[in-house]
Amino acid sequence: MPIQRRTFLKSSASFLPAIALQNVLAQSSPETPIAPVVQPVPAGEDRTGHLHSLGFSSLAFKVTTSDTAGNLFVIEHTNLTPNTGPSLHLHLSQEEWFYVMEGEVRFQVGDRRLRLGPGESILAPRRIPHTFSATGSPAHMLIAFTPADKMEQYFIDAASQPSLAATAAFMNRYDMQWIGPSPFWKS
């Protein structure tokens, strides 16, 4: 049975725009990142195979920047020693989220100071000064950065140069600003 011209034109008219739209979207939309191999990270272990330290705690990378095309970086902070922690600082382009798993942690976010215990969390928005320190006994937290930006590299480099990690020049290289010493450090 021969196809009639009118039927052919109607059929073509219905699927040609869909093909054209698909071609336009394929050319104009960013390439979808290739999903990494799903790999669970066991308790107490690091996604990269080795733990990191800044001298006052142990850090395990749980979600790396390459896992999320730079959108998220998650670390597990264990054995956070009381009266230590990072200097008062801010991030130019990341939000930093803290979730306390064990112990009690003091935070300063902006002008606000508070203590959080297990199951509690707080967000330090970008460009807002913040710091934290365990109280009493070592603490255990999850910390997430979004977008990840240069944070993973900061922790890698800081672990190899802990004496420089809290200096203004070092932090500036990773789009952070050193504000001052932590109000929780004991002299």
Side-chain angles (χ1 to χ4, degrees), residues 17-179:
I19 291 172
L21 178 60
Q22 184 179 15
N23 288 338
V24 167
L25 290 175
Q27 293 171 4
S28 66
S29 63
E31 187 176 319
T32 303
I34 297 171
V37 175
V38 175
Q39 179 181 340
V41 182
E45 291 188 25
D46 183 279
R47 174 87 165 82
T48 65
H50 58 88
L51 297 175
H52 311 269
S53 177
L54 298 181
F56 53 81
S57 67
S58 291
L59 303 174
F61 296 0
K62 295 299 185 174
V63 178
T64 64
T65 57
S66 63
D67 293 333
T68 64
N71 292 310
L72 179 67
F73 176 55
V74 179
I75 60 176
E76 183 176 15
H77 226 303
T78 56
N79 299 316
L80 176 60
T81 308
N83 304 315
T84 65
S87 59
L88 188 62
H89 66 283
L90 61 82
H91 300 272
L92 297 174
S93 60
Q94 296 85 26
E95 269 69 48
E96 186 173 3
W97 177 75
F98 304 91
Y99 179 82
V100 179
M101 297 171 66
E102 283 181 63
E104 184 179 74
V105 182
R106 294 179 291 186
F107 289 91
Q108 179 169 327
V109 178
D111 293 333
R112 189 165 181 206
R113 287 193 186 167
L114 58 153
R115 292 174 185 244
L116 298 180
E120 296 180 306
S121 67
I122 190 166
L123 178 72
R126 67 186 70 192
R127 299 183 179 269
I128 301 296
H130 59 279
T131 189
F132 58 88
S133 179
T135 64
S137 62
H140 184 184
M141 293 191 296
L142 285 178
I143 302 174
F145 299 89
T146 184
D149 199 30
K150 299 176 182 178
M151 292 311 304
E152 182 176 353
Q153 193 60 51
Y154 168 78
F155 287 110
I156 291 168
D157 295 346
S160 67
Q161 303 173 66
S163 63
L164 297 177
T167 64
F170 188 84
M171 294 178 87
N172 288 344
R173 294 192 329 217
Y174 304 92
D175 297 334
M176 294 186 282
Q177 287 184 356
W178 184 86
I179 306 299

